[in-house]
Amino acid sequence: MNKKVIMKTNSTQIKPNTSRKDDSSFSFNFTKKSKTQPKGTVFKKKTLKNNDNKREGNDESNKNMFQDKFKSGYVKRKQRKDKLLVKQGVNIEAKDRNQNQKKNFSLFTDKKRDFYVDSKKGESISEVVFTKGTKFNDLGIHKHLVSNLEKINFNVLTNVQEKSIPVLLEKKNALIRSQTGSGKTLAYAVPILNRLLELEPRLKRTDGIQVLIVVPTRELALQTNEEFKKINTFQWIVTGYLCGGESRKSEKDRIRKGVNILIGTPGRILDHVLHTSALDLSKIKCVVLDEADRLLDMGFRKDILSLIEKIDSSKIHSDYNPIEMLFQKSQNDKKVTNKEYQTILLSATLTKDIAELADLTMKDHVSIDALDETQNVNENDFIIPNTVTQECLIVPIKHRLFTLSSMIVSKSKKNAKIFVFMASTHMVEFHYELFSNHLVNMPKNRGRQKTMNFNGENVVVFDDSDDESDEELVVDVEFFKLHGNMDQKERKDVFVRFKNARKGVLICTDVAARGLDVPEADLIIQYTPPQTDKDYLHRIGRTGRAGKSGIATIFLTPEEQEYISYLNNHKVFLKKKDTQEYLRHLCDVMREKDVEEAATALQRHFENVVNKNGVLKKSACFAYSTWSRFYNSYSSSLKSIFNYKQINLGHYVTSFALTITPTEVSGIVRGQIGKTEKTRLNKKLANHADDESKLKQSKKRKNLSVSTSEYSSGLESLKKKSKMN
C-alpha cells in the first residue's frame, strides 16, 4: 500500500447529522478536543433553518433563492461551506486528512520553476594576480626587509605590487586601482618601511608620526596593523592603531609614548587631532587612504578633507620663519611650506567620486591600474580576480533555510572556511543561535516515525517531540558571528579566532565585506543579494585571495532570476548549480532515505525549536522585520528585480522557521519595541535645544510676553523680604 504522511493536529472535527427533515433544514454536531473536556465531547447543537419567522419574505421564492446560493457555491462562513460539502456528498474528515497531508509536504507542493533566464556564456573581465614572477630582490629595497618578507613566504610580487612599488619608492603620489585580495597592503607597506629604514640618523619613536594610514573599518585597521608587524621586525619603528570602541585614555598614552606609523579610522583619528595635544602632524612624510571607495560610501568625505587640511596647516605653521620668508619674498614671492608629503590612494573601483577625491587630496599623481591594458573595460564592467569561481542557486523561498543548512553540512565535511553574508544584524544573531545550537546538535530520536493504519491505509505520522536533553553532535563545525553592533573587543576576538580556526562558518553583515584577509576562505555565500554593485564585488573578494582559488555563491529565488541578466550586462557570468547536490547530505543528518522527507524533517525541527523557545522566536521575528526593511530599500536600478510588493511574504516567514503570519510577526515586533524604554541622555553631555528645562523657560517667556505691558521694562519685580516679628 502507498504510505501517506500526516501531522498530528488538534483541529476541530465535524460530524454530519444524518437526520434530515427536509431540504431546508439540517444540523451539525461539533466535536472539539479540549484539555478540560474528554475527547468526543458534544457541544450545543446548532441548527440552521430557513423558516425563521423573524425574517421577511417567508415565501417560496426566498426559499428557492437561498437554495440557489448553496448550489452556486456562495458561502461566507466555514459552517455553511461544510454544509454545502455534505450536501454534495463530500466526506469532510477525508478532506481534512488530505489537507493535513498537503500541509506536511507543503514545502515541495509548489511547481518547480525552471530557469527562464539563462546565464550567457561569455568571458568575464578578470584581473590576473601574478604575472611575470618578479621577486622582491629585484626591486633594490633594504636587504633586511627582503629577509623579513622571505621568512613569511612573500617571495614573488603580485601584479599590483610589481606596478606600484617602483613608483612609490620614488616618493610619487599615486592613485592605485586593484581588486581585493591582490596584495594592495604590501604594495604600499614595503615602500613605506624601506623609506623609514633609510632615514639618517636612525628613526626613534619620540620622532612622532611619520606615516598616517586611514582605513574605513575597525577590522581593517587591526588587520593592517598586523600586516605591518609581520614584516616590521625593527624595534625602533613603532606601529599603532586607533579605532572606535577602544579606550581613548589608552590611545592617548600610546600617542604620548610615540608612534611612527599610525593606522586608524577617520572619525577616531580626527577626534585625537582635535583633542589630543600630543598628536603632531607636522612631521608626516606619507598619507595613505586605503579602501577609498568604501570611505566615501560610509560618508567620510568631510572627515578626510578636514584631516588633509589639518596636515597641510600643521606643516605650514611648523616652518614659520620670518627671516626666511623675507628672503624668499625678495626672490620670487614663493609660498613657504614644509617638505611635501607623499599621498597614496587605493581603491577597488574607479569612479568619478574617487577621481575627484584624488584631485582634492594630492597633485601630480600617477594612476596605476592592475588590469591588463589590452582588455577593453567600460565603467560598468565588474573586474573580478581570475581565482574566483562564481555560482548561483535558484532556491524557492520556503527552501532557503534548509538549503543553506545543507551547504554548510556539505562544506564542513571538507574542512572549509565559509562566509555567509546576510542583510541585517538581527538576521545574523538569529541564524547564529539557530545553527550553533540546533543544527550542530540534534535529538537522538530524529528519524523515528510512527506508522498507523487509518481507513485501510498506512499513514506515517511524524513524531514532533524532540527531547532536547538527549542530543548528539551531528555537524562538526564552529560558527562565528560578526556585525556592527558588537563591541570592539568582541569583534576583534571573533576575527582572530575565525582566522586561526582550521574550519568554520562566519555569519556576518557587510561590515566584513571590506578588507578582511582570510586567505583560507573557500566559500562565500550571499544569502541575501547585495544592494549595490560595490558590495557584490567586495563580498566575493573575501575568497580567491593571494592567488588561492575560491567559490562565490549567491542565493536567488525564482522571482529574482533577472539579477543573472543584470550581472551579465556587467560582464559577470554565473555558473548554475543544482540544489540536490547539497540537499542529499541532509539524509545522513536527519536519518531519512528520501531527500524531500529529510529536508521537511529539518524544517519542522527548526520550527518546533523556534515555537518552544520564546527568546528565539522573538529573534526570528526581528530578523524577518529587519530583512523586510532591507528588501524594501533596494535602489531604483534593482527595484524591478527585487520587488517587495510582488513577493510572497508568507513564504519568507517560513524561511525564518516561523509558523505565524507576517501580520502576527509585525505585531510581536511592535509589542516588543513598545516595551523598551527610551534611552536617557547624559545631562552633562547633552547640548540639544529640546531639554525640558529649556522648554519650560521658553514657555515662561511666551507667557511673560503676553502678560507684560509694552511700557514695562520686562524685568521681574523685586520681592520685598518679609520682616520677622
Side-chain angles (χ1 to χ4, degrees):
M1 293 184 182
N2 297 329
K3 287 187 177 182
K4 295 186 178 180
V5 184
I6 64 172
M7 294 291 293
K8 294 186 295 184
T9 59
N10 292 331
S11 58
T12 302
Q13 299 179 356
I14 306 173
K15 295 184 179 180
N17 188 359
T18 56
S19 60
R20 292 175 51 182
K21 294 183 180 179
D22 51 41
D23 292 337
S24 62
S25 175
F26 36 113
S27 60
F28 291 85
N29 291 339
F30 285 76
T31 305
K32 185 175 182 180
K33 295 180 182 179
S34 175
K35 295 182 179 180
T36 58
Q37 297 286 349
K39 183 176 179 180
T41 302
V42 179
F43 287 79
K44 184 178 180 181
K45 184 183 297 183
K46 297 183 180 180
T47 304
L48 178 64
K49 294 185 178 181
N50 190 36
N51 55 358
D52 192 349
N53 294 328
K54 295 182 180 180
R55 296 183 180 179
E56 297 181 359
N58 221 1
D59 54 0
E60 188 69 21
S61 61
N62 285 339
K63 178 179 178 181
N64 295 333
M65 181 181 68
F66 183 76
Q67 293 178 351
D68 290 340
K69 288 182 179 181
F70 266 54
K71 292 179 182 179
S72 63
Y74 181 78
V75 291
K76 291 185 178 181
R77 293 191 296 272
K78 188 177 184 301
Q79 296 177 9
R80 292 183 178 178
K81 187 174 182 180
D82 292 337
K83 293 171 185 178
L84 176 62
L85 293 174
V86 171
K87 187 174 181 179
Q88 294 175 353
V90 178
N91 189 342
I92 298 178
E93 292 185 354
K95 177 178 176 294
D96 290 341
R97 185 170 67 251
N98 292 334
Q99 288 180 350
N100 288 333
Q101 181 179 350
K102 290 181 180 180
K103 181 179 180 181
N104 183 50
F105 276 111
S106 61
L107 295 174
F108 292 93
T109 53
D110 295 341
K111 294 181 180 180
K112 293 184 179 179
R113 300 180 62 179
D114 297 329
F115 282 91
Y116 60 85
V117 174
D118 290 330
S119 180
K120 299 178 182 178
K121 292 183 179 180
E123 186 177 353
S124 300
I125 299 178
S126 59
E127 179 182 317
V128 181
V129 180
F130 294 96
T131 52
K132 300 178 182 178
T134 308
K135 296 185 178 181
F136 286 98
N137 277 329
D138 304 330
L139 299 176
I141 60 178
H142 199 283
K143 60 180 181 179
H144 295 312
L145 184 56
V146 174
S147 177
N148 290 343
L149 291 168
E150 291 177 349
K151 287 179 181 178
I152 54 177
N153 298 322
F154 287 156
N155 298 315
V156 181
L157 277 74
T158 63
N159 188 21
V160 66
Q161 293 167 1
E162 185 179 351
K163 292 183 177 181
S164 303
I165 291 178
V167 176
L168 299 181
L169 287 174
E170 296 177 3
K171 303 177 183 178
K172 294 181 179 179
N173 298 333
L175 170 59
I176 303 172
R177 193 222 63 80
S178 180
Q179 263 305 320
T180 57
S182 58
K184 292 196 296 293
T185 304
L186 277 184
Y188 65 81
V190 170
I192 286 173
L193 285 174
N194 187 74
R195 181 175 180 177
L196 297 181
L197 287 172
E198 292 177 348
L199 291 178
E200 293 292 341
R202 177 185 288 186
L203 183 68
K204 298 177 293 185
R205 70 182 303 167
T206 55
D207 290 336
I209 300 173
Q210 307 291 313
V211 179
L212 182 64
I213 301 173
V214 184
V215 295
T217 63
R218 305 171 184 177
E219 286 74 24
L220 187 53
L222 175 64
Q223 180 178 288
T224 305
N225 185 55
E226 294 296 327
E227 289 292 325
F228 268 90
K229 284 184 176 180
K230 286 181 181 179
I231 61 177
N232 177 31
T233 59
F234 315 104
Q235 297 181 356
W236 61 90
I237 301 177
V238 182
T239 61
Y241 66 95
L242 308 173
C243 57
E246 297 283 345
S247 171
R248 284 184 173 84
K249 183 178 180 182
S250 61
E251 289 178 346
K252 286 185 178 181
D253 294 338
R254 202 180 306 160
I255 294 172
R256 291 190 187 100
K257 290 180 181 178
V259 177
N260 303 128
I261 301 175
L262 185 63
I263 307 162
T265 52
R268 183 51 67 95
I269 292 176
L270 191 59
D271 183 18
H272 282 284
V273 168
L274 298 175
H275 302 101
T276 304
S277 58
L279 185 62
D280 185 11
L281 302 176
S282 62
K283 298 179 181 180
I284 286 181
K285 295 179 174 59
C286 181
V287 176
V288 180
L289 301 178
D290 199 0
E291 299 282 354
D293 51 350
R294 180 62 171 169
L295 288 170
L296 294 179
D297 291 341
M298 296 177 67
F300 287 130
R301 176 189 170 90
K302 285 187 177 180
D303 292 342
I304 293 171
L305 295 180
S306 299
L307 192 57
I308 296 297
E309 184 180 354
K310 291 289 182 182
I311 296 173
D312 292 338
S313 62
S314 65
K315 284 185 168 294
I316 293 174
H317 293 307
S318 66
D319 267 355
Y320 178 72
N321 190 338
I323 298 177
E324 188 176 356
M325 289 176 64
L326 289 173
F327 176 75
Q328 290 192 359
K329 188 174 181 180
S330 62
Q331 296 292 330
N332 290 317
D333 292 333
K334 293 182 180 179
K335 184 179 179 181
V336 178
T337 59
N338 196 359
K339 295 180 181 179
E340 293 183 356
Y341 58 91
Q342 183 183 20
T343 304
I344 305 171
L345 193 149
L346 302 101
S347 176
T349 58
L350 284 181
T351 60
K352 294 180 181 179
D353 293 334
I354 296 296
E356 183 181 353
L357 181 64
D359 293 335
L360 293 173
T361 54
M362 54 186 175
K363 296 180 180 179
D364 302 327
H365 64 272
V366 179
S367 296
I368 301 172
D369 197 334
L371 190 67
D372 188 1
E373 298 177 356
T374 59
Q375 299 191 47
N376 296 324
V377 183
N378 298 324
E379 293 182 0
N380 297 327
D381 293 342
F382 291 175
I383 303 173
I384 298 166
N386 60 343
T387 54
V388 179
T389 302
Q390 300 178 80
E391 300 175 350
C392 66
L393 283 174
I394 303 299
V395 184
I397 301 172
K398 294 185 290 185
H399 296 191
R400 285 169 56 85
L401 186 58
F402 61 75
T403 303
L404 176 61
S405 304
S406 66
M407 288 191 70
I408 293 173
V409 171
S410 172
K411 296 297 180 180
S412 62
K413 296 179 180 179
K414 301 178 181 179
N415 296 335
K417 280 190 176 180
I418 307 172
F419 280 81
V420 183
F421 285 98
M422 295 191 174
S424 66
T425 295
H426 287 286
M427 281 190 71
V428 171
E429 288 286 350
F430 166 69
H431 288 90
Y432 170 77
E433 294 295 333
L434 184 68
F435 290 156
S436 59
N437 294 323
H438 305 289
L439 177 62
V440 172
N441 300 306
M442 284 280 184
K444 290 184 178 180
N445 64 345
R446 68 189 184 282
R448 299 176 184 176
Q449 300 172 346
K450 298 178 181 179
T451 305
M452 58 181 298
N453 187 278
F454 191 80
N455 289 346
E457 296 180 352
N458 289 332
V459 179
V460 178
V461 182
F462 280 104
D463 187 4
D464 294 338
S465 58
D466 293 341
D467 187 5
E468 298 182 0
S469 61
D470 192 11
E471 295 180 337
E472 61 181 353
L473 181 66
V474 176
V475 183
D476 184 18
V477 67
E478 184 178 3
F479 286 88
F480 304 86
K481 63 178 178 179
L482 186 64
H483 55 76
N485 286 357
M486 298 166 60
D487 58 55
Q488 177 59 23
K489 184 179 179 181
E490 189 177 4
R491 287 167 66 173
K492 178 180 177 181
D493 178 63
V494 168
F495 172 65
V496 172
R497 287 194 298 114
F498 178 67
K499 189 173 182 179
N500 297 331
R502 183 172 58 91
K503 62 178 179 178
V505 180
L506 179 65
I507 305 176
C508 56
T509 59
D510 283 326
V511 72
R514 304 284 181 134
L516 291 190
D517 184 22
V518 184
E520 299 81 10
D522 304 284
L523 176 64
I524 304 299
I525 300 176
Q526 301 190 63
Y527 190 60
T528 51
Q531 287 189 331
T532 64
D533 299 341
K534 294 178 182 177
D535 288 337
Y536 180 87
L537 291 173
H538 284 279
R539 282 178 174 185
I540 66 175
R542 297 312 98 212
T543 188
R545 302 180 68 85
K548 296 184 179 181
S549 60
I551 300 174
T553 304
I554 184 170
F555 274 59
L556 295 173
T557 66
E559 296 79 13
E560 299 168 351
Q561 292 186 53
E562 287 294 336
Y563 192 63
I564 299 174
S565 299
Y566 177 83
L567 293 177
N568 289 342
N569 296 332
H570 290 277
K571 297 282 185 76
V572 175
F573 305 97
L574 305 179
K575 180 181 178 182
K576 295 178 288 188
K577 296 290 289 185
D578 187 7
T579 57
Q580 294 295 321
E581 177 183 341
Y582 303 107
L583 292 179
R584 59 184 178 84
H585 291 275
L586 296 180
C587 294
D588 296 333
V589 174
M590 303 308 299
R591 296 175 182 171
E592 299 287 351
K593 295 181 180 180
D594 184 69
V595 172
E596 292 188 2
E597 290 183 2
T600 302
L602 181 60
Q603 179 71 21
R604 298 294 178 247
H605 167 68
F606 285 150
E607 291 175 357
N608 292 336
V609 166
V610 171
N611 286 331
K612 292 177 183 178
N613 191 330
V615 176
L616 192 60
K617 185 174 183 179
K618 290 178 182 177
S619 178
C621 292
F622 274 95
Y624 167 80
S625 178
T626 54
W627 164 84
S628 63
R629 289 198 296 269
F630 176 90
Y631 202 92
N632 198 23
S633 59
Y634 276 93
S635 60
S636 56
S637 60
L638 296 173
K639 204 78 171 179
S640 59
I641 302 174
F642 306 103
N643 194 335
Y644 183 78
K645 296 180 180 179
Q646 295 182 358
I647 60 176
N648 191 322
L649 295 178
H651 288 185
Y652 271 105
V653 169
T654 303
S655 69
F656 287 89
L658 291 166
T659 56
I660 56 180
T661 64
T663 303
E664 292 173 324
V665 172
S666 61
I668 293 174
V669 172
R670 286 196 301 268
Q672 193 67 19
I673 293 176
K675 293 179 182 178
T676 58
E677 296 181 358
K678 295 182 179 180
T679 55
R680 298 181 180 179
L681 296 174
N682 190 339
K683 294 182 179 181
K684 295 182 180 179
L685 301 178
N687 55 1
H688 45 81
D690 56 349
D691 194 302
E692 292 183 1
S693 60
K694 294 184 178 180
L695 289 174
K696 290 180 180 179
Q697 290 179 5
S698 61
K699 289 181 180 179
K700 288 182 179 180
R701 289 170 184 168
K702 289 181 181 179
N703 294 336
L704 184 64
S705 61
V706 172
S707 59
T708 304
S709 170
E710 59 178 326
Y711 302 106
S712 172
S713 63
L715 299 176
E716 295 183 0
S717 59
L718 296 176
K719 295 182 179 180
K720 296 182 180 180
K721 296 182 180 180
S722 59
K723 296 182 180 180
M724 300 293 294
N725 294 330

